[in-house]
Amino acid sequence: MDHPVAVEWYGRTLQFATHEHLFAPRAADRGSLAMLRTVDWRKGEKVLDLGCGYGLVGICAAVTPGVAEVVMVDNDPLAVEFARRNALQLEQEAGDSKNADGKGASGTDLRILLGDGPGAVLAGADGGDSGDSGDIGGFTLILSNPPYHTDFAVAKRFIEQGFACLELGGRMMMVVKRLAWYQNKMSAVFGGTKVTELDGYFILTSEKRTAQSQHATKSMPPKTTKKHRKKMMAQRGKH
């Protein structure tokens, strides 16, 4: 059964069709809205919405002034179906004849993919559903409202693989209810995170400042010179 949800965003009333089997089907999720209000939007923004659900975050991003591109991904076929329906509805309201995977009403390039989070984006595939997933990457902003009522496996994958999807200077934002694990994990991968509390939620923002994650750097064995290696081998031979 469909449930209509209305959201006011940048002077527009956006209408979303939802389903009882999807996240927050009766009203717009307050955490997602808090995250959207916290974003410092930049001109030419290239946005990745991880775990897009029926499309609330990604479609709001698509109609935000200055945003150039939005890619939305979810591993639930029902969520992707409704996200595409809502994107198509947005185009029809704007009198645009292009489909849900074409240019958005504000001129934003909008794509909706079926796949397992950033791994699907990095692989350049959307689960074989549409074949329209080429030339994806180099995002300036990742937005995610992870399933924090389960274990941390999904969020861990989103954070670690999301880092690789960002261009240098790009940011990753997550909205959560429980702070400690997410703050520690994002700090470990990105080298730091900013925490904003709004409307009962924590919004974490981390910036990609190096090509390699801090987590990967710390996991690498220390580099040694040839002279040092010979000295170590000699010391081992004495024991």
Side-chain angles (χ1 to χ4, degrees):
M1 182 178 179
D2 294 2
H3 302 287
V5 169
V7 174
E8 297 292 330
W9 186 250
Y10 274 89
R12 299 181 61 168
T13 301
L14 303 177
Q15 299 286 344
F16 295 90
T18 73
H19 190 279
E20 60 187 352
H21 292 153
L22 297 177
F23 174 65
R26 302 287 180 179
D29 176 63
R30 292 187 301 112
S32 297
L33 294 177
M35 177 173 62
L36 285 165
R37 293 199 301 270
T38 307
V39 177
D40 178 17
W41 298 99
R42 301 174 182 175
K43 186 176 181 180
E45 203 85 86
K46 187 175 181 181
V47 181
L48 173 60
D49 177 10
L50 290 178
C52 67
Y54 60 79
L56 172 64
V57 170
I59 290 175
C60 283
V63 301
T64 300
V67 172
E69 181 178 348
V70 175
V71 175
M72 302 157 62
V73 60
D74 203 294
N75 67 352
D76 182 355
L78 183 64
V80 169
E81 175 190 339
F82 273 80
R84 286 177 171 162
R85 282 177 55 180
N86 288 322
L88 184 59
Q89 175 67 24
L90 177 68
E91 301 310 317
Q92 291 173 342
E93 290 175 357
D96 193 331
S97 61
K98 294 186 179 180
N99 63 31
D101 289 327
K103 290 287 184 178
S106 61
T108 302
D109 183 12
L110 176 61
R111 282 181 276 186
I112 304 168
L113 310 179
L114 174 63
D116 191 14
V121 177
L122 289 170
D126 68 348
D129 185 61
S130 72
D132 182 29
S133 56
D135 193 27
I136 295 178
F139 294 97
T140 63
L141 177 64
I142 294 177
L143 300 172
S144 183
N145 186 345
Y148 44 82
H149 295 300
T150 60
D151 61 28
F152 298 112
V154 173
K156 179 177 183 291
R157 186 171 70 254
F158 278 14
I159 294 168
E160 292 178 350
Q161 295 180 352
F163 180 92
C165 292
L166 288 169
E167 67 174 30
L168 283 176
R171 302 96 69 213
M172 183 170 197
M173 298 183 68
M174 276 191 165
V175 57
V176 300
K177 291 287 283 186
R178 294 178 290 173
L179 179 61
W181 184 91
Y182 295 92
Q183 185 175 19
N184 290 337
K185 183 62 180 178
M186 290 186 71
S187 294
V189 172
F190 285 86
T193 190
K194 174 185 175 183
V195 179
T196 303
E197 190 171 359
L198 181 64
D199 203 15
Y201 292 85
F202 298 105
I203 298 97
L204 294 89
T205 305
S206 291
E207 181 179 343
K208 182 174 180 175
R209 298 174 180 173
T210 60
Q212 190 172 45
S213 75
Q214 297 299 305
H215 176 76
T217 301
K218 291 176 182 178
S219 300
M220 292 176 63
K223 293 183 178 179
T224 60
T225 63
K226 185 177 181 180
K227 181 178 179 180
H228 187 221
R229 287 196 298 271
K230 289 177 66 176
K231 183 178 179 181
M232 291 175 64
M233 291 177 66
Q235 289 176 341
R236 289 172 185 166
K238 294 178 181 180
H239 295 285

